[in-house]
Amino acid sequence: LSRIAPVGVVKIAAPSGPKGNLTGEQVYGQVCKTCHEAGIAGAHKVGDRNAWGKVIAQGEKLTVQHAISGIRAMPPRGGNADLTDAEVQRAVVFLVNKAGASWKEAPVAAAPAAAAPAAAQAVAASAPAPAF
């Protein structure tokens, strides 16, 4: 049986980085763009100062809460339940700033640079040696 054992093992991880590290622009591109670029279901179009003026006037806290909880035709978190509150906040800030606001995005945590090589070494070390 050892003569026909595989030479190595390949482990494929889910393509995701640390949770919560998407920028507002990334969240917009992945989640919000579909509706907010075309104005689908009454969504305010990105960059439309008149439409976003009332949203900006209500303040960041309420606007972010609406995006997290959902409002009118918009589902909670834009339909992506995996988004963190910080990622939703960053997307809201990205959108309102395109309409003239100057809100600040929540900071994105820096991913540890040494983690990737260490993970690759761990996978390589766990592969069984060939049996001759």
Side-chain angles (χ1 to χ4, degrees):
L1 190 61
S2 64
R3 292 183 308 152
I4 60 171
V7 174
V9 176
V10 176
K11 294 184 180 182
I12 300 175
S16 64
K19 190 163 178 73
N21 284 343
L22 294 175
T23 66
E25 186 172 8
Q26 289 170 324
V27 173
Y28 171 78
Q30 293 177 18
V31 180
C32 315
K33 184 177 181 177
T34 301
C35 294
H36 285 284
E37 189 169 276
I40 293 173
H44 299 321
K45 289 185 178 182
V46 67
D48 183 340
R49 289 179 182 263
N50 290 330
W52 286 98
K54 292 179 186 177
V55 175
I56 293 167
Q58 73 186 6
E60 181 177 348
K61 184 176 179 178
L62 183 59
T63 302
V64 170
Q65 187 55 49
H66 285 163
I68 290 170
S69 301
I71 185 169
R72 293 181 288 281
M74 184 176 134
R77 300 177 190 279
N80 184 344
D82 291 334
L83 293 176
T84 65
D85 289 356
E87 288 171 320
V88 173
Q89 184 270 351
R90 290 182 201 120
V92 167
V93 170
F94 176 81
L95 280 163
V96 299
N97 286 352
K98 290 289 187 182
S102 57
W103 296 356
K104 302 291 182 222
E105 283 192 22
V108 175
Q121 290 172 354
V123 170
S126 70
F132 294 104

